[in-house]
């Protein structure tokens, strides 16, 4: 018989011995998911005795974490922009840094009068587009990804966050499914890691997250070039293009956007002071 306090203490100690950066937090998130309770419940009910099944599911999850599996894949979900998103294996896990892109896109959306049409390219879990739809009531989103599991997950997440009536999901390569349409805004967190760098990433990333969502080609810029050229066709005059970028890519992506006649290009920094997002106007 094991209570919550003992289970968490043992699990956190085991994770720490296996060089997991946030052992206590990870243990709490995994146990919260097992019990379908929030983390405050674990504190208030530390003497709760886990059933054999609950403890087995918990220790199985801790074992997966020791093996390097990200917590978001173990529990099947991730918080982003104070919303909940399903994150099955095969879909890129939303990062807090990506909220910089969403926050700035939302800020621009507030300048529009009436309905806003937005495309989220390389949508993954749908975190970017669905967050915009949730916080901007007059926005209508088209989410696009080449991965079937990403599209299926985006459909589920749109329903989960009650915006399915304003979110359409299309399976396809970058903007090809919508080249005949016009949008007020295009947002994208494309694959932007250099191919040669992939093997040096943390094992949680390189061993578990989909390489198709990470690999941006030899120089990491493949998708910026392709999407920018297509966005120049799909955006309305005055439309805005937002990208997430790597910390060292601002100058090169600025040049790519300028070559497609985007103007008023601006770079935004994340909370760590690194370049994280870039935007321009057609």
């Amino acid at each position: 018989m094991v209570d919550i306090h003992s289970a968490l203490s043992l699990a956190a100690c085991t994770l720490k011995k296996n060089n997991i950066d946030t052992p206590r937090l990870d243990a709490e998130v995994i146990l919260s998911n097992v019990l379908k309770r929030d983390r405050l419940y674990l504190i208030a009910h530390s003497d709760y005795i886990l059933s054999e099944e609950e403890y087995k599911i918990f220790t199985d999850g801790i074992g997966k974490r020791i093996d390097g599996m990200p917590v978001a894949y173990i529990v099947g979900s991730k918080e982003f922009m104070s919303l909940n998103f399903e994150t099955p294996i095969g879909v890129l896990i939303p990062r807090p840094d990506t909220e910089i892109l969403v926050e700035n896109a939302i800020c621009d959306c507030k300048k529009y009068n009436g309905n806003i049409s937005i495309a989220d390219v390389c949508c993954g879990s749908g975190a970017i587009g669905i967050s915009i739809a949730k916080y901007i009531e007059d926005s209508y989103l088209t989410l696009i990804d080449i991965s079937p599991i990403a599209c299926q997950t985006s459909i589920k997440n749109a329903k989960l966050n009650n915006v399915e009536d304003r979110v359409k999901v299309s399976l396809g390569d970058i903007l090809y499914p919508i080249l005949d349409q016009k949008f007020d805004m295009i947002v994208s967190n494309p694959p932007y890691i250099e191919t040669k760098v992939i093997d040096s990433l943390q094992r949680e990333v390189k061993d578990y997250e989909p390489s198709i969502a990470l690999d941006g080609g030899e120089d990491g810029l493949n998708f910026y070039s392709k999407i920018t050229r297509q966005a120049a066709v799909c955006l309305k005059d005055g439309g805005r293009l937002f990208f997430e970028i790597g910390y060292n890519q601002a100058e090169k992506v600025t040049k790519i956007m300028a070559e497609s006649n985007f103007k008023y290009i601006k770079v935004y920094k994340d909370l760590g002071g690194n370049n994280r997002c870039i935007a321009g106007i057609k």
Side-chain angles (χ1 to χ4, degrees), residues 259-270:
E259 288 174 348
S260 289
N261 297 317
F262 281 86
K263 300 177 178 62
Y264 306 108
I265 299 169
K266 184 176 181 180
V267 177
Y268 301 85
K269 295 184 180 296
D270 60 25

Side-chain angles (χ1 to χ4, degrees), residues 2-281:
V2 181
D3 61 22
I4 285 177
H5 173 75
S6 299
L8 287 175
S9 297
L10 179 59
C13 182
T14 303
L15 291 173
K16 185 175 182 180
K17 287 179 180 178
N18 283 273
N19 301 312
I20 300 301
D21 290 338
T22 52
R24 180 74 185 196
L25 173 62
D26 291 1
E28 289 180 355
V29 173
I30 292 169
L31 186 54
S32 293
N33 183 67
V34 172
L35 299 178
K36 307 304 177 189
R37 301 279 190 171
D38 60 29
R39 288 169 57 207
L40 288 176
Y41 177 89
L42 305 183
I43 298 171
H45 300 82
S46 61
D47 58 349
Y48 170 84
I49 304 298
L50 301 174
S51 69
E52 288 186 12
E53 182 180 6
E54 289 169 340
Y55 190 57
K56 183 182 184 306
I57 296 172
F58 175 59
T59 54
D60 285 348
I62 295 299
K64 292 176 181 178
R65 186 70 190 100
I66 290 171
D67 289 339
M69 182 179 287
V71 173
Y73 287 153
I74 296 171
V75 304
S77 64
K78 177 74 172 180
E79 183 181 294
F80 181 84
M81 292 293 296
S82 299
L83 305 173
N84 195 43
F85 290 87
E86 290 190 9
T87 52
I89 293 175
V91 173
L92 189 73
I93 299 169
R95 265 70 167 177
D97 285 340
T98 303
E99 293 186 357
I100 303 298
L101 184 159
V102 177
E103 289 167 356
N104 282 287
I106 286 174
C107 184
D108 266 18
C109 285
K110 292 178 180 179
K111 300 174 184 177
Y112 284 79
N113 292 318
N115 295 338
I116 312 167
S117 59
I118 304 171
D120 176 2
V121 186
C122 306
C123 66
S125 66
I128 295 174
I130 290 168
S131 295
I132 294 172
K134 186 70 175 180
Y135 292 112
I136 300 295
E137 294 182 356
D138 292 330
S139 62
Y140 291 80
L141 278 292
T142 299
L143 277 53
I144 309 159
D145 204 290
I146 198 171
S147 163
I149 189 171
C151 289
Q152 293 163 10
T153 302
S154 290
I155 291 170
K156 291 180 180 178
N157 282 328
K159 292 179 180 178
L160 179 65
N161 288 286
N162 300 309
V163 294
E164 69 271 22
D165 59 325
R166 291 185 287 110
V167 173
K168 175 185 176 183
V169 180
S170 294
L171 176 67
D173 188 13
I174 48 180
L175 277 75
Y176 284 111
I178 57 168
L179 284 178
D180 60 339
Q181 301 177 46
K182 293 289 185 180
F183 294 86
D184 296 300
M185 182 180 294
I186 293 174
V187 296
S188 181
N189 177 18
Y192 60 73
I193 299 174
E194 297 174 27
T195 302
K196 65 183 179 184
V197 175
I198 300 292
D199 286 340
S200 66
L201 298 174
Q202 291 178 303
R203 61 174 179 159
E204 286 88 345
V205 179
K206 68 178 182 179
D207 292 346
Y208 288 95
E209 299 206 57
S211 60
I212 193 175
L214 301 170
D215 194 338
E218 183 177 352
D219 61 1
L221 302 173
N222 282 3
F223 288 88
Y224 295 114
S225 298
K226 294 175 182 178
I227 293 171
T228 299
R229 288 195 297 268
Q230 292 186 344
V233 175
C234 292
L235 280 170
K236 300 174 184 177
D237 290 339
R240 299 168 188 264
L241 173 61
F242 280 86
F243 281 124
E244 178 171 328
I245 56 173
Y247 73 96
N248 61 346
Q249 294 175 322
E251 184 176 345
K252 292 178 180 178
V253 177
T254 296
K255 182 179 178 182
I256 288 170
M257 295 174 71
E259 288 174 348
S260 289
N261 297 317
F262 281 86
K263 300 177 178 62
Y264 306 108
I265 299 169
K266 184 176 181 180
V267 177
Y268 301 85
K269 295 184 180 296
D270 60 25
L271 296 178
N274 297 310
N275 294 329
R276 184 57 58 190
C277 171
I278 191 168
I281 299 176

